[in-house]
């Protein structure tokens, strides 16, 4: 913009020309081409050592400053607009310091926040390595994980099927939300003619379950860490065999109405799942929460890709049950399940 900065109260306000700053002392002010008007109007703000600089150029007279960073749109003379890097310059015993919003964070607090994130990531990695090696137990794991967090929105790629399964041409049983994994570990032990693939959003459980599978010598069982709502179109790519069975059992209920959007079964997911499995594949869904079960049945009932198997809810159709099912039954509480075909 080439317009003259407007005056709002005692602050000069106007659009800055990208790449142009007024640098003085420990403050950087973006200026329009007519920024001299601001200088002339408020000389007490800047002082005699004010200097003009363009993006990337050194600023004479400013010890410790190597370059200037500006935003494309900002309020001249203020640091309130989010597109203006805050505290571009900070004074200290070692002279002026520069903060690049794009690469380092715009304040010392931002830098410290990035360091904490990196430290946390290293701690998580070390914990997972210790679980995999058997040096450490599982420890405390969150019972519910919010699948809508940004960290879970990156699709997980399919594993190398020939590395994780002894025979990747066998039919597959896909268990979505496999938890601790004991359910499909037991099924894999008694069904050697099927590959069992468990997907879970809590990574420590996945690492431990894979350790159990390796210790048991099961070449037909593998677990992957993923958010299936974000990964349904990627995680099954390249599988040579036929996906014959999908189970979604005891999913996180997310009771509060505002949290229902976190539930794994929704119309978009069910349609995406139908595109990834062949015709004739079975889908078994179950829950011990009537509201969750009814919601799943409603979604599937409104899908043209899935048909309910008559009488599928009478008897449990598999040789094993999940730990949650066993626990609920031991307390004499109700369980609900249905069977569908693609």
């Amino acid at each position: 913009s080439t317009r003259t900065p407007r005056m709002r109260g005692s602050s000069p306000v106007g659009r800055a020309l990208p790449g142009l700053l007024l640098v003085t002392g420990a403050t950087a002010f973006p200026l329009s081409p007519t920024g001299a008007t601001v200088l002339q109007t408020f000389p007490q703000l800047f002082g005699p050592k004010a200097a003009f600089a363009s993006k990337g150029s050194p600023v004479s007279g400013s010890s410790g400053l190597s370059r200037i960073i500006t935003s494309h749109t900002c309020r001249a003379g203020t640091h309130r607009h989010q597109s203006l890097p805050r505290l571009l310059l900070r004074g200290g015993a070692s002279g002026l310091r520069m903060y690049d919003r794009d690469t380092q964070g715009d304040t010392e607090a931002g830098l410290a926040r990035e360091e904490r994130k990196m430290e946390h990531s290293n701690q998580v990695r070390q914990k997972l390595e210790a679980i995999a090696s058997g040096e450490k137990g599982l420890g405390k794991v969150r019972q519910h994980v919010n699948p809508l967090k940004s960290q879970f929105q990156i699709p997980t790629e399919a594993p190398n099927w020939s590395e994780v399964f002894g025979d990747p041409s066998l039919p597959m049983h896909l268990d979505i939300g496999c938890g601790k994994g004991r359910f499909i570990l037991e099924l894999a032990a008694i069904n050697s003619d099927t590959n069992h693939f468990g997907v879970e959003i809590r990574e420590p459980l996945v690492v431990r379950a894979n350790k159990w599978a390796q210790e048991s010598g099961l070449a037909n069982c593998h677990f992957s860490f993923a958010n299936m709502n974000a990964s349904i179109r990627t995680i099954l790519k390249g599988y040579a065999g036929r996906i014959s069975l999908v189970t979604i059992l005891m999913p996180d209920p997310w009771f509060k109405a505002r949290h229902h959007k976190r539930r794994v079964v929704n119309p978009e997911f069910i349609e995406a799942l139908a595109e990834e499995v062949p015709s004739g594949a079975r889908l078994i869904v179950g829950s011990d929460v009537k509201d969750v079960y009814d919601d799943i049945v409603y979604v599937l009932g409104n899908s043209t890709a899935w048909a309910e198997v008559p009488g599928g809810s009478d008897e449990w159709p598999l040789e094993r049950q999940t730990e949650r099912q066993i626990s609920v039954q031991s307390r004499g509480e109700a369980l609900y399940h249905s069977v569908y075909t693609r």
Side-chain angles (χ1 to χ4, degrees), residues 132-153:
S133 65
E135 297 176 9
K136 182 182 292 187
L138 190 64
K140 186 176 181 180
V141 178
R142 293 181 65 90
Q143 185 174 2
H144 303 290
V145 174
N146 181 3
L148 301 182
K149 284 187 174 181
S150 59
Q151 67 195 80
F152 298 122
Q153 301 312 304

Side-chain angles (χ1 to χ4, degrees), residues 195-208:
N195 286 329
H196 299 266
F197 183 43
V199 181
E200 172 59 41
I201 198 171
R202 292 168 292 176
E203 193 170 11
L205 298 181
V206 171
V207 172
R208 188 181 65 174

